Amino acid sequence: MADPSTYRPERGTIPVRPGVYRFRDEHGRVIYVGKAKNLRQRLSNYFQDLSVLHERTRRMVTTAASVEWTVVGTEVEALTLEYTWIKEFDPRFNVKFRDDKSYPYLALTMGEKVPRVHITRRPRTKGDRTFGPYPQVGAIRETLDLMLRVFPIRSCTAGVYRRAERSGRPCLLGFIGKCAAPCVGDISQEEHRRLAEQFADFMAGNTATYTRRIEKQMRDAAAAMDYETAAGLRDDLAALDKVMEKNSVVLSDATDADLIGLAQDELEASVQVFHVRGGRIRGQRGWTAEILDDSSAPDLVERALTTLYTEGAAPREVLVPVQPTNREQVLALIGKQVDLRIPQRGEKKDLLATVTDNAVDALRLHRLKRTGDITARTKALEDLGEALDLAEPPLRIECYDISHSHGTNVVGSQVVFEDGLPKKSEYRRYSVSGEAARDDTASMYDVISRRLKHHLDPPEKTEEESRRFAYPPSLILVDGGAPQVAAAQRAFDDLGVTDIALAGIAKRLEEIWLPGDEYPVILPRTSEALFLVQRLRDEAHRFAITYHRSKRGRAMQSSALDGIPGLGPARRRALLDRFVTVSAIREAGEEELQEVDGVGPALAAQIMVALRSEQATDTDAATDSPQGDEPLDVAVDMATGEILDR
């Protein structure tokens, strides 16, 4: 535990202007970011007598080893910089609203020549019309399926669309009536755009126009005794009714608003958001956060608003349970035209109460789940520390695995767990080649050596990237038995690292091997420590296999066009768009190749020479190779020799 007086800056050296400050621990990691209207006054509050500080503030200042600050021009700049640094440094003592997932949206690419509707989790791009977010992707898929029945607009990717254009045949959706097939001219691009605008108009809440029109068409078809058409229109109307049922009207004035509900206790907070567009609930999202500082309800609302709207547009109204701490600065950040207020009466107040009830329930469920998780994780770390004879529980553990295919495409993985939970932002992957790829122990030695070198001498990257990778773990775990542990220990010895514990886990009997020990440590089959170690090993294994398959796939997909001088990615893509396959390019004449943009006589001749020489080489190899000698394409775990992927 650090003494704050050892790093307390002189009061006269702290400016009295607005700014943002960062507390760092002994390893240089940012553990807290804050903003202030007056830096001197704010920072002085942290260096009072420890007995008068809030418990969580006291824990933060005694964990820190230094403090620094940056002066800015205005309080709005301070708010923006604080948000940016919290997102960049991920400080452990800040309140961070996160839900471990991004929410799906329904997006309509009106900026494209032929608009496309699709489901996305990415931020909105220019020209798109987006609807959502939706809490579950299944709900949005069902909505899209129903809407395409009535508004059959394009939903295929650019590659599928181009192939249909070249072949003159629509894709499956075109055959079953869920796409108007503009790719083959069944509908003009102008008519298709009007159809897309109608789709967007309906999703925006203007539903009555389309339901009345379909009802009239259905009655006219029935009067004309065209019962097949009338039945189809009846089904279309039922589909639209089902879509509207999913989005009932909650605000009679058809307004666009976000309603933010908040619930908190001494340790945690829950935020729920209802996105209302055109008076209908179009989406819902929520977060829970651990409160590690002395944040109040206004502080949490401020953090929620900056999280929601710093990278996205706010609606006309934002309804909150309490006003944020720095209301004017928040409005300057998210847009002064936004009506940020607390509803006092009527349906908006009632709906905000419903949102708050959702936040209370989400916090209750999270608390029940987290209580069990904390108990299990704490016991797992304590038991593991005792089993490995460590001075204290290993709060940060890194696990490593190696994967390859018959000695090719060798890769290594590093996964990181902090406080018993995965910290995916600090996962790393390694590509192993040359002498280091000769066997599993050499690969493990190479990967561990590279990791420890980063710890001892961080590379010239961004400050936080270097700090994350250089931050020392309490325990390094390798996937394998005594040979792998011995190889890792050689890396420790060669680099003089003695302050990190090392162990290995063998798959066959789930044994824990320590360096130099003749016999392994056997953890009880029902122990939380064994479950934690298994989870680490499985996560490292999954991460390694994923990277290996990706690398192997790229190697298998290498084209004969690769490596031809003067033939870059754009020209290769143009050639494949024109001829589709390498075989067709090889069979084409030089005159046909020159019809492709960017391909002149010299390059066309060079392409033909390269492709024909490559074909001759392949023919010779096929003649020289006896049948049955092709190697099997498999993935093998180097620690055990187990075949993982055929």
Side-chain angles (χ1 to χ4, degrees):
M1 180 180 293
D3 182 357
S5 63
T6 60
Y7 65 89
R8 176 176 183 171
E10 292 292 334
R11 180 177 173 83
T13 63
I14 308 175
V16 294
R17 297 172 56 190
V20 182
Y21 53 92
R22 294 181 287 184
F23 282 88
R24 295 181 181 271
D25 65 9
E26 59 181 347
H27 300 291
R29 292 213 313 180
V30 176
I31 62 172
Y32 187 76
V33 173
K35 65 180 182 308
K37 298 178 183 179
N38 185 320
L39 282 169
R40 180 181 299 177
Q41 182 179 0
R42 179 60 176 156
L43 286 176
S44 297
N45 293 335
Y46 288 102
F47 296 98
Q48 303 178 59
D49 188 277
L50 292 178
S51 61
V52 303
L53 292 178
H54 190 284
E55 179 183 351
R56 290 187 287 265
T57 305
R58 182 167 63 249
R59 185 170 45 176
M60 187 274 291
V61 297
T62 54
T63 303
S66 64
V67 63
E68 58 194 38
W69 55 84
T70 299
V71 174
V72 296
T74 66
E75 295 172 35
V76 176
E77 291 179 14
L79 182 63
T80 305
L81 184 58
E82 180 196 35
Y83 171 81
T84 303
W85 277 355
I86 289 174
K87 188 173 181 180
E88 177 183 354
F89 297 122
D90 191 25
R92 59 179 293 193
F93 284 99
N94 277 96
V95 175
K96 296 178 289 293
F97 289 123
R98 57 180 60 170
D99 55 0
D100 297 327
K101 64 181 178 181
S102 57
Y103 284 82
Y105 290 80
L106 191 63
L108 194 56
T109 59
M110 299 302 292
E112 295 185 11
K113 189 175 182 181
V114 181
R116 170 194 175 215
V117 63
H118 64 109
I119 299 169
T120 181
R121 295 179 185 270
R122 297 180 179 178
R124 175 178 176 176
T125 56
K126 187 176 181 180
D128 283 2
R129 292 285 303 275
T130 57
F131 307 95
Y134 290 78
Q136 294 180 342
V137 73
I140 193 172
R141 291 190 192 282
E142 184 178 356
T143 296
L144 178 58
D145 188 62
L146 293 169
M147 291 292 292
L148 288 179
R149 178 183 178 89
V150 185
F151 305 99
I153 61 176
R154 172 195 162 207
S155 59
C156 61
T157 62
V160 172
Y161 188 86
R162 286 197 299 268
R163 282 198 298 272
E165 278 187 315
R166 288 197 297 265
S167 66
R169 299 175 63 225
C171 64
L172 178 61
L173 291 175
F175 281 112
I176 65 176
K178 290 192 174 180
C179 179
C183 53
V184 294
D186 287 358
I187 184 175
S188 69
Q189 292 183 358
E190 293 76 15
E191 292 173 328
H192 182 271
R193 178 169 290 276
R194 284 196 294 272
L195 197 62
E197 290 170 349
Q198 292 172 4
F199 182 106
D201 194 28
F202 185 92
M203 290 299 297
N206 186 14
T207 59
T209 301
Y210 302 99
T211 55
R212 284 197 300 265
R213 185 181 67 187
I214 294 175
E215 284 177 355
K216 183 179 183 305
Q217 292 172 348
M218 179 179 66
R219 287 194 298 268
D220 292 345
M225 292 188 290
D226 187 358
Y227 299 119
E228 185 175 352
T229 300
L233 292 169
R234 177 202 61 199
D235 294 341
D236 290 350
L237 191 60
L240 294 184
D241 287 340
K242 192 169 183 180
V243 171
M244 290 188 291
E245 286 174 7
K246 295 174 177 292
N247 298 285
S248 59
V249 175
V250 292
L251 298 179
S252 58
D253 58 358
T255 189
D256 292 347
D258 283 353
L259 294 93
I260 301 175
L262 173 67
Q264 69 177 114
D265 57 19
E266 288 294 320
L267 299 176
E268 294 170 309
S270 170
V271 170
Q272 289 286 314
V273 184
F274 278 16
H275 300 276
V276 179
R277 299 295 182 269
R280 300 176 182 271
I281 297 177
R282 297 298 184 184
Q284 174 188 359
R285 64 192 304 182
W287 306 282
T288 56
E290 187 176 3
I291 301 176
L292 295 171
D293 56 12
D294 54 356
S295 295
S296 61
D299 297 327
L300 295 172
V301 170
E302 177 187 299
R303 186 61 43 78
L305 291 170
T306 54
T307 301
L308 276 167
Y309 304 124
T310 299
E311 297 179 354
R316 187 177 64 184
E317 290 185 36
V318 177
L319 308 179
V320 293
V322 296
Q323 289 289 357
T325 304
N326 301 284
R327 185 178 187 277
E328 295 304 319
Q329 287 71 38
V330 170
L331 281 175
L333 183 65
I334 69 176
K336 292 186 177 180
Q337 75 282 0
V338 175
D339 185 7
L340 178 63
R341 61 190 176 88
I342 304 171
Q344 300 298 323
R345 63 182 66 85
E347 58 187 5
K348 293 181 180 179
K349 181 181 179 182
D350 294 340
L351 184 57
L352 183 60
T354 300
V355 181
T356 303
D357 289 343
N358 277 264
V360 171
D361 191 57
L363 181 60
R364 179 184 62 83
L365 293 175
H366 179 74
R367 190 187 299 121
L368 290 174
K369 179 181 177 181
R370 187 174 181 273
T371 300
D373 289 346
I374 287 178
T375 303
R377 295 202 312 267
T378 301
K379 182 168 178 55
L381 293 171
E382 290 176 350
D383 290 351
L384 185 59
E386 291 178 5
L388 302 184
D389 197 23
L390 303 180
E392 57 185 19
L395 298 182
R396 179 184 171 101
I397 306 174
E398 296 179 1
C399 187
Y400 295 82
D401 190 18
I402 305 293
S403 185
H404 76 132
S405 293
H406 285 295
T408 63
N409 299 316
V410 183
V411 300
S413 68
Q414 169 196 329
V415 301
V416 180
F417 275 42
E418 284 193 357
D419 297 328
L421 295 174
K423 195 171 181 64
K424 294 190 177 183
S425 63
E426 300 193 15
Y427 284 16
R428 294 293 183 274
R429 55 191 190 183
Y430 300 81
S431 182
V432 182
S433 59
E435 185 66 18
R438 71 176 186 273
D439 57 40
D440 56 338
T441 56
S443 299
M444 186 62 74
Y445 174 87
D446 178 71
V447 168
I448 298 297
S449 296
R450 287 156 67 182
R451 167 64 182 101
L452 295 178
K453 287 176 182 176
H454 277 275
H455 162 48
L456 297 173
D457 185 19
E460 292 296 329
K461 295 183 179 180
T462 63
E463 177 186 14
E464 184 59 21
E465 179 68 16
S466 301
R467 291 296 182 189
R468 283 180 179 178
F469 204 57
Y471 187 65
S474 306
L475 170 66
I476 283 182
L477 194 66
V478 299
D479 185 12
Q484 286 74 25
V485 175
Q489 185 60 50
R490 287 200 304 275
F492 275 66
D493 296 340
D494 291 349
L495 295 171
V497 176
T498 59
D499 58 343
I500 301 175
L502 173 66
I505 178 170
K507 282 184 181 174
R508 190 172 301 277
L509 297 175
E510 309 289 8
E511 308 157 331
I512 306 296
W513 288 89
L514 298 176
D517 285 6
E518 186 176 355
Y519 300 102
V521 175
I522 306 296
L523 296 175
R525 288 291 172 183
T526 59
S527 74
E528 295 290 346
L530 180 60
F531 294 155
L532 174 61
V533 169
Q534 288 172 330
R535 187 181 176 197
L536 271 156
R537 189 266 320 281
D538 293 343
E539 179 70 353
H541 181 67
R542 178 200 64 79
F543 196 52
I545 287 296
T546 301
Y547 180 40
H548 165 73
R549 288 174 179 166
S550 172
K551 187 176 180 182
R552 185 185 63 186
R554 288 195 300 271
M556 293 174 65
Q557 292 170 6
S558 59
S559 167
L561 299 176
D562 298 340
I564 298 178
L567 190 61
R571 289 173 178 170
R572 285 200 301 270
R573 187 163 52 250
L575 282 169
L576 290 173
D577 284 344
R578 170 68 173 80
F579 296 101
V580 181
T581 66
V582 174
S583 298
I585 297 173
R586 185 184 293 116
E587 294 170 2
E590 292 186 20
E591 294 79 9
E592 291 181 85
L593 294 182
Q594 293 175 41
E595 294 175 3
V596 177
D597 290 341
V599 179
L603 182 56
Q606 196 164 357
I607 292 171
M608 297 309 299
V609 170
L611 292 182
R612 287 168 182 166
S613 64
E614 182 261 346
Q615 184 181 31
T617 303
D618 289 347
T619 302
D620 293 342
T623 303
D624 294 341
S625 299
Q627 293 184 355
D629 279 357
E630 292 187 8
L632 292 174
D633 186 14
V634 297
V636 179
D637 190 308
M638 296 185 73
T640 63
E642 176 188 357
I643 295 178
L644 303 168
D645 179 41
R646 188 174 297 277

